[in-house]
Amino acid sequence: MKLIWSPETATKAYIETVKTCEKFKESGVAELLAAMAGGWEAKLIVEAWSYGGPIGTSIGLAVAARHTCGRHVCIVPDERTRQEYIKAIKDVAAPPPPIPEVVVGDAAAAMAALGGGVDFLVVDYNRRDFGRVLRSASAKVSSRGAVFACKNAWQRNVSGFRWQWALERGTRVVRSVFLPVGKGLNIAHIGSPGGSGGVEGSRKGPSRWIKHVDQRSGEEHVFRE
């Protein structure tokens, strides 16, 4: 399946998230992920939320799901976290976004219960089971591939993190990048099962090269969008 990138949907999701999340201070994380999920035209957006964590990203993903006519599912470990998550969503200034589907339980069981293939995943490094979430999600990637994003990357040893170590064996990482947004974002484009999953062969327009400088190490990274 060819990759479709929708600048219009990305822009709409970004602008609405900016307006909705004005009172949250997540350093642009919510807006960036909303735009990415919208532009990717994600039909199944999954997030793994931690108790007491910021809710801005969840709002952005809910906005993106509305613009893509997709599903937004949140995986939480227990009933206490589920109640806190729903309360946080409802406390957003009116009008609140639609309440996402909430699945309670172990990461592997929750992923198995989703039904469809994952297009877009956001997981918090602060979750104790973040590794299990990544492995379980990599076994449920949609037929066109997926985007995986890990928040709060500064909480871990960024230089020591390797996507291939965290994902199901045989999962192909088409490309990855670390962004110093918020408390750090690790983002990877996961190839489709048994296919190329890449964008170069399906793009009609020219590729765009982006330069990113790690603000801590000063290391420069160049990747193609």
Side-chain angles (χ1 to χ4, degrees):
M1 181 181 291
K2 291 185 177 182
L3 171 64
I4 299 176
W5 175 261
S6 172
E8 181 180 357
T9 308
T11 301
K12 288 180 178 179
Y14 176 84
I15 292 174
E16 185 175 340
T17 303
V18 169
K19 294 178 179 178
T20 308
C21 295
E22 285 180 338
K23 70 176 184 178
F24 301 113
K25 297 181 179 180
E26 290 194 45
S27 303
V29 172
E31 293 88 342
L32 173 61
L33 294 177
M36 291 180 66
W40 183 254
E41 291 286 355
K43 299 305 179 185
L44 178 54
I45 300 172
V46 180
E47 67 169 317
W49 193 72
S50 299
Y51 184 88
I55 202 66
T57 294
S58 302
I59 303 302
L61 296 177
V63 168
R66 184 166 66 243
H67 283 287
T68 65
C69 298
R71 291 173 64 197
H72 174 200
V73 181
C74 180
I75 295 175
V76 296
D78 49 47
E79 180 62 23
R80 172 174 172 259
T81 307
R82 185 190 74 84
Q83 293 179 4
E84 175 68 17
Y85 178 81
I86 292 176
K87 179 180 182 299
I89 292 283
K90 289 182 177 180
D91 285 345
V92 175
I99 301 295
E101 300 174 44
V102 183
V103 179
V104 180
D106 171 77
M111 285 292 175
L114 293 180
V118 177
D119 290 309
F120 200 91
L121 171 76
V122 178
V123 60
D124 191 337
Y125 271 124
N126 288 328
R127 279 185 61 125
R128 293 181 179 179
D129 63 345
F130 91 97
R132 290 195 295 275
V133 173
L134 288 174
R135 283 191 295 274
S136 300
S138 63
K140 293 281 292 182
V141 171
S142 75
S143 60
R144 68 187 184 115
V147 173
F148 285 9
C150 297
K151 294 170 49 179
N152 293 318
W154 290 133
Q155 305 296 320
R156 300 274 172 172
N157 182 357
V158 176
S159 62
F161 177 80
R162 296 292 183 271
W163 280 101
Q164 292 293 359
W165 298 349
L167 304 177
E168 186 80 5
R169 185 173 182 179
T171 302
R172 282 187 319 100
V173 178
V174 180
R175 63 175 60 85
S176 63
V177 64
F178 174 80
L179 299 177
V181 181
K183 295 182 179 179
L185 277 175
N186 261 325
I187 301 175
H189 174 198
I190 308 300
S192 60
S196 65
V199 300
E200 290 87 348
S202 61
R203 255 187 211 275
K204 294 184 179 179
S207 298
R208 187 161 65 100
W209 290 92
I210 297 176
K211 181 172 70 174
H212 161 64
V213 178
D214 189 315
Q215 292 185 352
R216 286 198 170 189
S217 67
E219 185 179 356
E220 183 178 289
H221 306 276
V222 179
F223 63 98
R224 184 161 55 186
E225 183 184 55

